């Protein structure tokens, strides 16, 4: 059964945060994505813990796998993503679970950086697609502007299930000054997006309150990953 079919009848339990858990578990401030190359067993262990706890959906350890954060050229980022996918697959090891390619915000400073980041989002998505990953989770974003062109482009080339998670504060606004309502509305207008919701930013009680007062975009699935 593919993910869309599964979600017609069943709620899906995802994994939890990776980076903060990695830091606490291994008592380190190192970027966790570096461990995809240097300490894959540490990454695999966290995936396995979430799967053993009942998660049927895990995200690759690639939130910060981009040239700006890793301070590497894209060839090295590509290797990092490929390693992360293999680790996640090794952790799943035949279980009934889905793997999503995790894509976080690329730090930008000015219009030129933003244009470069928009292209890199596509290159990251394409790397996942070429690894056979069919679910992408764009998470902790403040708006759609930087990622929507990449989403449209990758969906024109590959069959993808696209998730977008926004980060808002306790008042329901993102760092871009957009309300949770407006963010859901804009995502609802993009036919390429399958699921939309919120992650990080606020804890479960605030997120629950925000989601209770908002209408789910028609035809979209709703995500909540506090």
């Amino acid at each position: 059964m593919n993910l869309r079919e599964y979600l017609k009848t069943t709620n899906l339990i995802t994994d939890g945060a990776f980076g903060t858990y990695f830091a606490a578990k291994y008592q380190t401030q190192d970027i966790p994505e570096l461990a995809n190359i240097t300490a894959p067993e540490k990454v695999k262990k966290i995936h396995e813990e979430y799967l053993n706890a009942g998660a049927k959906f895990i995200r690759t350890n690639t939130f910060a796998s981009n040239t700006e954060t890793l301070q590497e050229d894209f060839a090295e980022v590509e290797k990092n993503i490929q390693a992360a996918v293999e680790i996640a697959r090794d952790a799943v090891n035949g279980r009934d679970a889905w793997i999503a390619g995790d894509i976080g915000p690329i730090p930008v400073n000015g219009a030129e950086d933003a244009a470069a980041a928009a292209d890199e989002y596509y290159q990251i998505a394409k790397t996942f697609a070429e690894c056979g990953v069919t679910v992408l989770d764009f998470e902790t974003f403040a708006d759609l502007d930087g990622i929507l062109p990449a989403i449209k482009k990758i969906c024109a080339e590959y069959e993808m299930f696209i998730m977008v998670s926004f980060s808002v504060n306790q008042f329901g606004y993102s760092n871009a000054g957009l309300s949770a309502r407006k963010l859901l509305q804009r995502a609802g207008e993009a036919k390429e997006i399958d699921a939309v919701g919120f992650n990080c930013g606020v804890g479960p009680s605030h997120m629950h309150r925000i989601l209770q007062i908002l209408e789910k975009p028609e035809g979209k699935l709703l995500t909540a990953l506090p």
Side-chain angles (χ1 to χ4, degrees), residues 50-62:
Y50 279 125
L51 289 163
N52 291 339
K56 290 187 174 292
F57 181 101
I58 62 171
R59 293 162 290 171
T60 55
N61 178 35
T62 51

Side-chain angles (χ1 to χ4, degrees), residues 94-152:
R95 305 187 210 208
D96 182 19
W98 282 272
I99 295 170
D102 192 42
I103 303 174
I106 300 172
V108 298
N109 182 22
E112 187 173 335
D113 277 2
D119 180 65
E120 187 168 335
Y121 286 127
Y122 165 72
Q123 296 298 333
I124 290 169
K126 187 175 177 66
T127 301
F128 280 119
E130 290 178 344
C131 288
V133 174
T134 59
V135 183
L136 297 178
D137 180 25
F138 292 81
E139 65 164 330
T140 321
F141 283 87
D143 58 40
L144 267 180
D145 295 348
I147 58 174
L148 192 55
I151 290 172
K152 289 179 176 293

Side-chain angles (χ1 to χ4, degrees), residues 142-145 148 166 176 178 180-191 193 196 217 220:
D143 58 40
L144 267 180
D145 295 348
L148 192 55
F166 298 107
L178 297 173
R181 189 182 306 278
K182 177 60 72 174
L183 291 166
L184 288 185
Q185 178 188 332
R186 289 187 176 180
E189 294 167 355
K191 63 181 178 62
I193 296 174
V196 60
K220 305 296 183 190

